[in-house]
Amino acid sequence: MTDGKFDIADFVIVTIGLVISVTCLLLAFSHAIPGWMATIFTSLGILLAVTVFIGGKQHTNQLVITDQGITRHFGRKFRLKKQESVAWKDLSKVEIETTDDGPVAEDFFYLLHAREGGGVVVGVRLAVENNLLKELQQRLPGLDKKTVALASGCTENRSFHIWPARQSV
């Protein structure tokens, strides 16, 4: 239930949990399985279905900055986490993307592009917690500080190129 919306995985989990519960109850009422067994499996089925709602909005979002590069781990707490990463040596450009969603929603993102595609997207809250701008300034000569300042005051949908493509970092 990412951002309050059901996805297919949520539907499958709830369905499996309810099927287990209903099947066990029907088997118990027809005396095909003992009552204690039906109670245990019905409870487990209900618990499985309810986990979608318990962990629905609890996300993890972690940034790891090392001498090799940047990695962001993210996703729902009770599911497999996703990962984005880029090595410093593979970094081709850095942009800031702003939106008009603020101040209620996050509206400022660092986009770190890898040469071969992919990269890392870092929201401003996570960037501030991990001193990302300071790290970028130390590692990327020529980072455009004036454009960073301009982007930080922007309240519309825009993209700001703050570090040019280079052959070496």
Side-chain angles (χ1 to χ4, degrees):
M1 208 163 75
T2 307
D3 298 329
K5 298 178 184 173
F6 277 102
D7 59 19
I8 190 69
D10 294 323
F11 178 76
V12 170
I13 290 170
V14 170
T15 301
I16 290 171
L18 294 176
V19 166
I20 289 171
S21 298
V22 170
T23 302
C24 288
L25 287 173
L26 291 173
L27 290 171
F29 284 121
S30 67
H31 301 292
I33 62 172
W36 63 268
M37 188 182 289
T39 303
I40 290 172
F41 284 106
T42 300
S43 299
L44 289 174
I46 291 170
L47 182 62
L48 181 64
V50 170
T51 59
V52 169
F53 301 101
I54 292 172
K57 291 200 171 213
Q58 295 180 3
H59 286 79
T60 185
N61 197 11
Q62 179 185 21
L63 192 64
V64 178
I65 302 172
T66 67
D67 287 337
Q68 287 71 45
I70 297 179
T71 303
R72 183 172 75 105
H73 303 275
F74 60 99
R76 298 243 315 253
K77 280 193 175 184
F78 301 115
R79 294 216 185 137
L80 291 175
K81 308 302 177 277
K82 297 177 184 175
Q83 177 177 308
E84 299 174 335
S85 62
V86 63
W88 292 116
K89 64 181 178 63
D90 296 331
L91 196 61
S92 64
K93 70 178 175 177
V94 179
E95 295 177 295
I96 294 174
E97 187 85 24
T98 61
T99 71
D100 58 4
D101 293 337
V104 177
E106 196 153 35
D107 60 351
F108 186 102
F109 303 90
Y110 289 91
L111 309 177
L112 292 88
H113 298 271
R115 280 192 180 89
E116 301 297 320
V120 180
V121 177
V122 183
V124 71
R125 290 183 196 116
L126 189 60
V128 169
E129 288 172 14
N130 291 276
N131 296 316
L132 178 62
L133 181 57
K134 180 180 176 184
E135 198 71 39
L136 294 174
Q137 289 172 334
Q138 290 174 349
R139 293 182 183 271
L140 304 176
L143 186 87
D144 189 346
K145 296 174 190 170
K146 288 181 182 178
T147 302
V148 172
L150 180 64
S152 67
C154 185
T155 59
E156 55 191 42
N157 298 326
R158 284 197 53 198
S159 182
F160 299 87
H161 190 104
I162 63 169
W163 188 70
R166 296 173 153 310
Q167 293 302 316
S168 63
V169 175

